[in-house]
Amino acid sequence: MFFVKTENTLRNKINILKKNKKQIGFIPTMGNLHNGHLMLIKKAKQIADIIIVSIYVNPMQFDCKNDFKNYPRTLKNDYLKLKKNNVDLVFSPTNLFSKYNSLKYQTFVEVPKFSSIAEGINRHLHFRGVSTVLTKLFNLIKPNIALFGEKDYQQLQLVHKLVRDLSFDIKIISIPTVRLKNGLALSSRNNNLSKKELKIAPQLYNILKKAKIKLIHSKQTIESIKSEIKKDLLDSGFIPDSIFIRDALNLEKINNNSKKAIILIAVWLGKTRLIDNLKINLF
């Protein structure tokens, strides 16, 4: 397994791989790897010759400095996991952009469609940071295939549109959210939860499943179901951050032509922000 920290070294490695006509599968991460990431690697091995994983805590996608500073960094353990899973190359740059305080001068890439609706209403800069870092990584690595989990559903839709609009010759593959037996979606942020909070966190998925049944079988309005979701979250010990029930195809409001819906939830549990979602067939 190759460990690469600089852009120049990465370019040299990629040029060699491209000359050998190897199919490159790429998985971008911010490290603190869990089984969800390892499932992406497993999937990548089925469809690509060379597996590249990036580890970079991207300052552009954090809403505040403290969140960026406190994001769990476990590079040594991440390397061991990637080596055990036979990843071919790990790209872990010290910095892809300018220092944090100078990010306002950084050139950025924006996907207006998916960075300004739903969660993007209040987290516009977050999605801008995601699309910018992915554009840079795609340009550096030039993968044939890139893999993402479906837990960050709005981000996944943003990636699809980014690739289409900028004509990247990259196939985007997604895998379903990986969960523990109790339903908790795997996330690096779960490591920040206390023992008490870890007992509460699985209720998030239960609340989603309860809302799914109401959306399919009841005649309640979307706003009524959202109000009940909010109440269930508060009763369970969460602080709701955002709740959206949207068309799963475009994240716009559900209408008579919508065939699939997606419930998107973001909450605070103590000092940790958790997200989850559930897709629903409407017909």
Side-chain angles (χ1 to χ4, degrees), residues 17-45:
L17 294 172
K18 289 293 182 179
K19 285 180 181 178
N20 293 330
K21 298 183 179 180
K22 296 291 187 180
Q23 288 279 308
I24 296 175
F26 172 50
I27 302 161
T29 82
M30 291 204 298
N32 198 227
L33 304 180
H34 51 66
N35 283 338
H37 297 109
L38 301 184
M39 289 297 291
L40 288 169
I41 293 169
K42 182 179 179 180
K43 179 66 176 178
K45 287 183 177 181

Side-chain angles (χ1 to χ4, degrees), residues 35-256:
N35 283 338
H37 297 109
L38 301 184
M39 289 297 291
L40 288 169
I41 293 169
K42 182 179 179 180
K43 179 66 176 178
K45 287 183 177 181
Q46 298 170 3
I47 53 180
D49 302 313
I50 300 294
I51 311 304
I52 296 178
V53 174
S54 66
I55 299 176
Y56 180 63
V57 183
N58 174 27
M60 284 192 77
Q61 68 191 70
F62 285 84
D63 297 323
C64 66
K65 292 182 183 180
N66 284 337
D67 198 15
F68 170 69
K69 182 180 178 181
N70 295 329
Y71 191 86
R73 292 163 171 83
T74 56
L75 202 56
K76 185 176 180 180
N77 286 335
D78 291 343
Y79 282 163
L80 292 174
K81 288 180 181 179
L82 295 175
K83 186 174 182 179
K84 184 177 180 180
N85 283 271
N86 298 313
V87 167
D88 296 285
L89 188 151
V90 182
F91 179 48
S92 55
T94 302
N95 199 3
L96 277 177
F97 301 116
S98 55
K99 291 183 179 180
Y100 188 81
N101 289 333
S102 302
L103 284 178
K104 62 182 179 180
Y105 301 116
Q106 170 67 41
T107 299
F108 62 83
V109 177
E110 193 165 39
V111 184
K113 169 69 176 177
F114 291 109
S115 62
S116 58
I117 61 174
E119 270 211 271
I121 296 171
N122 294 320
R123 304 192 73 212
H124 179 78
L125 293 180
H126 164 76
F127 288 109
R128 175 191 287 182
V130 170
S131 54
T132 300
V133 76
L134 286 177
T135 298
K136 184 152 188 173
L137 289 168
F138 287 164
N139 280 329
L140 286 168
I141 294 171
K142 299 178 175 60
N144 304 96
I145 303 158
L147 297 96
F148 296 83
E150 294 178 1
K151 181 172 70 70
D152 295 313
Y153 189 82
Q154 185 165 346
Q155 174 180 293
L156 178 60
Q157 303 313 304
L158 177 146
V159 173
H160 278 294
K161 187 161 176 58
L162 173 72
V163 167
R164 288 195 304 268
D165 288 357
L166 297 186
S167 300
F168 282 113
D169 188 17
I170 303 172
K171 183 177 182 180
I172 302 300
I173 301 290
S174 65
I175 68 167
T177 302
V178 180
R179 301 180 182 277
L180 298 176
K181 289 183 179 180
N182 61 15
L184 178 62
L186 296 188
S187 170
S188 299
R189 294 177 184 270
N190 292 348
N191 292 329
N192 295 330
L193 298 173
S194 67
K195 290 183 179 180
K196 180 180 179 181
E197 290 165 348
L198 280 170
K199 292 180 180 179
I200 297 171
Q203 290 302 315
L204 188 58
Y205 188 50
N206 293 333
I207 292 169
L208 279 169
K209 291 190 290 185
K210 180 180 175 182
K212 174 182 177 178
I213 293 171
K214 290 179 181 178
L215 190 61
I216 296 173
H217 298 293
S218 78
K219 295 183 179 180
Q220 290 176 260
T221 65
I222 297 295
E223 291 305 314
S224 174
I225 295 173
K226 286 171 60 179
S227 294
E228 292 192 14
I229 291 173
K230 184 176 181 180
K231 181 179 184 303
D232 288 341
L233 290 170
L234 290 168
D235 289 345
S236 298
F238 300 101
I239 303 299
D241 189 21
S242 63
I243 303 167
F244 295 97
I245 302 176
R246 295 293 178 93
D247 188 304
L249 179 64
N250 51 31
L251 294 187
E252 294 178 357
K253 292 183 178 180
I254 293 173
N255 57 50
N256 292 333

